[in-house]
Amino acid sequence: MFQVVEGKILANTQIGQDLYLMEVEGSFQVKEGQFFMLKAPQREMTLFRPISILDCQKDAVSFLYSVRGKGTGYFSTMKVGEKMQLHGPYGNGFPKVEGSLALVGGGIGMAPLLLTAKNHPGSKVFIGIRENLYTAEEIQRIKDLFSSVDMTLKIGGIVSDIVDFDDYETVFACGPEVMMRAIAQQHSNCYVSLEKHMGCGVGACLSCSCKSGGVMKKVCQDGPVFLGKEVF
Amino acid sequence: MKQKVFGKEFKNIVIGASGTFGFGREFDKFYDISILGGVSSKGLTLNPKEGNTGIRITETPSGIMNSIGLENPGVKSFLAQELPFMKSKNLVVIANVGGSDLESYVEAVRLIDDHAKTQEGVDIIELNISCPNVKQGGMAFGINACDAERITKEIRKTTTLPLVVKLSPNANHLVEVAKAVEAAGADGLSLVNTFSALDIDIHNKKPVFDNIYAGLSGSAILPIALRMTRDVCKNVKIPVIGMGGITSAVDAIKFVMAGATLVQVGTGNFVNPMACYDIIKGLEDYFVKENTTVEEIRGII
């Protein structure tokens, strides 16, 4: 059964100017590439917000989120010890694959790649961030977040320029749509993780629909991960 | 709290509202939805629809705006794939039906009616008259009394199932539309649908929604929906299903006091996936504590 739970915030640290790392207490069974619906119960919020899982420990789940609007703005003001409301995890997540694997993230699209890389030993992570967005100290924090996996950071330009796609049997991508589209066109075995505004997270409201393989799918329940060539 | 309305037994007054409750399965993962009085299906059309492009939902102060565009699998697929589950939950199944012109409404309702004649089928039709009529410049059927009456008459001729007409708060004169729909043979009314509204992305200098306008719902509309429910209840004799921003038992009781026979919970299901469950428990507590009944408080305001 699904349920809404309240979890104590164990950490809510600013990583870069718009980038925050939140850790919420709780014991969850998650799969890489899934997300939770999150809400700050004491703030004026109507909808939960879908946020990707960065990592999961025995007694906590962590999220890397960027402040985009009102909801994530509230999240950034939450203090350690306050409670978050959450339900999930939802979505299919990234598939378990054998063989060489490249994980390519653009901006906040890096979030679901940490746990995915951890669960795919030998995989290589490539993350692109905008130039002049973060200080040297902030860049170091991003590198530290990914220190347990093989990660290459590209600052400015196009992250896929540093990936030789022929070297990999499978590619996972998450980031701006133009980036994912371009990668999906270069590599036929590419899985992309889509981002959409969501209302319910459980497939009831049809706010997050997309077309995959010619049929309507729900990003929240059928995705967020789709075969690139079927959605682009 | 048991109610017999439209000849159907409702376990209580709470119904999951169309478009927010999927086909019931989605919320059955949070709690056993057989506790509900009823479920109104996602809006159905004769043929499958893919819905609108672009952003489909945003949050507003105390509410949301949506522009889904009636994405649905079509009536035939609903009857084959979704209805059996809804029926298995032993609750009143309401099929919410939309269309793009008179003919497509009639044909959709005919399919549902034919199906119900031969087996355990849909219990009630809820006619969504907020859809734009593509043959009349895209103006919704529910905007003026004349169009609303005409479509209700046609659907009345098409089905013997109980017919509830869902009114648009964007009507030129809501009470006139309600009276016209009653005169045309509707068994009940449900109101309100969403309010036509606008949001603008000031950085892109464009409307947030591809369709420009979208429907506003949630707590923000409750006081207006409550006033409209009372206005309509004072002017018709048929039962009214009230809705608009209900997120708690307190909200639901207000609609009953304004005259509603039953209530629907829509956006509330997104605010709290357990909303309908919590509301039913809250209502049970209220009626015990206050030593009263739905009948006693209905329409007292």
Side-chain angles (χ1 to χ4, degrees):
Chain A
M1 291 295 265
F2 294 161
Q3 57 175 337
V4 181
V5 297
E6 291 210 332
K8 197 161 77 180
I9 296 174
L10 301 174
N12 193 18
T13 319
Q14 189 169 15
I15 299 289
Q17 58 164 295
D18 63 334
L19 202 59
Y20 288 77
L21 174 67
M22 183 186 279
E23 204 174 295
V24 180
E25 193 173 47
S27 184
F28 303 100
Q29 289 284 329
V30 310
K31 189 168 173 280
E32 58 268 30
Q34 288 188 308
F35 66 93
F36 277 86
M37 296 297 283
L38 265 73
K39 191 152 95 167
Q42 302 310 319
R43 308 297 199 276
E44 182 65 39
M45 283 182 79
T46 297
L47 299 174
F48 287 76
R49 300 295 194 273
I51 306 286
S52 277
I53 297 163
L54 173 76
D55 205 355
C56 191
Q57 297 85 34
K58 201 164 140 270
D59 302 313
V61 59
S62 55
F63 304 96
L64 184 69
Y65 63 95
S66 82
V67 173
R68 296 275 185 88
K70 195 179 79 173
T72 44
Y74 283 144
F75 292 170
S76 71
T77 67
M78 299 289 281
K79 304 271 180 286
V80 170
E82 278 193 274
K83 288 198 167 162
M84 287 294 281
Q85 269 186 345
L86 61 163
H87 58 102
Y90 297 131
N92 55 358
F94 284 110
K96 277 274 188 314
V97 297
E98 302 288 329
S100 53
L101 171 68
L103 312 179
V104 186
I108 191 59
M110 74 177 90
L113 302 186
L114 178 60
L115 185 60
T116 311
K118 281 185 176 181
N119 289 347
H120 286 89
S123 61
K124 291 196 185 310
V125 182
F126 302 92
I127 292 170
I129 53 175
R130 288 217 320 266
E131 216 170 348
N132 303 324
L133 184 63
Y134 302 116
T135 64
E137 196 185 332
E138 290 167 347
I139 288 167
Q140 190 54 48
R141 283 194 210 122
I142 294 171
K143 286 180 177 167
D144 291 346
L145 269 182
F146 285 83
S147 61
S148 60
V149 299
D150 180 346
M151 190 273 274
T152 309
L153 191 66
K154 174 151 174 53
I155 300 163
I158 298 164
V159 59
S160 44
D161 285 354
I162 60 164
V163 187
D164 191 344
F165 288 101
D166 293 339
D167 291 349
Y168 301 95
E169 287 164 62
T170 312
V171 178
F172 294 166
C174 185
E177 204 173 298
V178 282
M179 181 201 96
M180 294 191 287
R181 187 184 296 274
I183 296 173
Q185 281 160 0
Q186 285 178 65
H187 201 293
S188 65
N189 194 31
C190 167
Y191 291 85
V192 296
S193 179
L194 302 186
E195 181 182 55
K196 289 268 187 185
H197 284 220
M198 289 182 190
C200 66
V202 297
C205 71
L206 307 186
S207 298
C208 66
S209 298
C210 73
K211 216 181 216 178
S212 174
V215 294
M216 297 308 288
K217 298 275 187 184
K218 302 163 183 176
V219 170
C220 64
Q221 293 289 305
D222 303 318
V225 177
F226 295 92
L227 202 49
K229 61 186 172 195
E230 297 203 329
V231 284
F232 293 125
Chain B
M1 238 197 306
K2 223 183 271 176
Q3 301 285 312
K4 191 157 186 181
V5 194
F6 314 119
K8 306 288 173 185
E9 293 276 358
F10 290 78
K11 286 188 209 98
N12 54 62
I13 63 169
V14 178
I15 299 166
S18 178
T20 66
F21 215 74
F23 295 110
R25 283 180 211 279
E26 296 77 6
F27 286 91
D28 197 57
K29 292 173 188 157
F30 285 99
Y31 58 92
D32 182 356
I33 62 162
S34 61
I35 63 157
L36 296 172
V39 169
S40 182
S41 76
K42 168 73 198 160
L44 302 166
T45 50
L46 177 60
N47 297 310
K49 268 181 75 102
E50 292 185 355
N52 292 335
T53 57
I55 288 175
R56 290 183 173 192
I57 192 166
T58 61
E59 185 165 318
T60 65
S62 300
I64 62 169
M65 285 168 67
N66 88 80
S67 176
I68 309 297
L70 277 185
E71 179 183 339
N72 81 95
V75 168
K76 279 183 187 156
S77 171
F78 162 75
L79 294 172
Q81 308 295 328
E82 308 293 349
L83 182 60
F85 172 80
M86 295 173 85
K87 292 300 289 182
S88 77
K89 300 310 283 191
N90 185 30
L91 42 71
V92 178
V93 176
I94 303 171
N96 181 288
V97 181
S100 52
D101 52 40
L102 198 55
E103 293 73 24
S104 63
Y105 270 100
V106 167
E107 201 45 46
V109 170
R110 195 190 311 281
L111 285 175
I112 295 168
D113 189 77
D114 285 350
H115 176 272
K117 279 190 178 120
T118 59
Q119 56 205 290
E120 279 286 291
V122 163
D123 294 302
I124 295 171
I125 304 267
E126 183 179 54
L127 198 66
N128 170 12
I129 58 169
S130 300
C131 304
N133 182 353
V134 296
K135 290 194 179 158
Q136 279 186 358
M139 193 175 81
F141 291 90
I143 295 299
N144 68 58
C146 187
D147 292 341
E149 184 174 8
R150 194 161 64 95
I151 189 165
T152 306
K153 260 189 189 153
E154 283 303 315
I155 299 301
R156 180 72 289 169
K157 279 192 277 181
T158 308
T159 182
T160 53
L161 288 169
L163 175 62
V164 171
V165 177
K166 186 169 183 176
L167 304 182
S168 167
N170 308 311
N172 290 337
H173 195 307
L174 184 64
V175 170
E176 293 310 314
V177 172
K179 283 166 43 177
V181 166
E182 180 183 38
D187 299 298
L189 303 170
S190 59
L191 71 145
V192 295
N193 208 322
T194 58
F195 286 78
S196 180
L198 171 66
D199 197 6
I200 296 170
D201 182 332
I202 63 161
H203 300 294
N204 288 336
K205 301 187 176 68
K206 280 184 179 154
V208 167
F209 295 97
D210 283 5
N211 255 14
I212 305 176
Y213 296 145
L216 177 68
S217 63
S219 300
I221 70 164
L222 186 141
I224 317 176
L226 194 61
R227 187 265 295 168
M228 288 176 158
T229 298
R230 181 174 180 272
D231 281 350
V232 167
C233 289
K234 295 276 180 211
N235 285 282
V236 299
K237 294 191 177 66
I238 50 178
V240 168
I241 306 174
M243 76 191 95
I246 295 176
T247 62
S248 67
V250 171
D251 295 342
I253 293 161
K254 288 178 184 177
F255 276 86
V256 176
M257 288 185 172
T261 298
L262 302 164
V263 298
Q264 290 189 10
V265 179
T267 303
N269 297 302
F270 305 158
V271 177
N272 166 19
M274 297 295 290
C276 288
Y277 179 94
D278 292 346
I279 289 169
I280 291 167
K281 299 294 165 212
L283 287 171
E284 285 168 356
D285 287 350
Y286 173 83
F287 288 117
V288 170
K289 267 187 201 143
E290 299 283 324
N291 189 28
T292 186
T293 61
V294 177
E295 290 73 18
E296 268 181 20
I297 62 164
R298 181 176 296 136
I300 59 170
I301 303 298

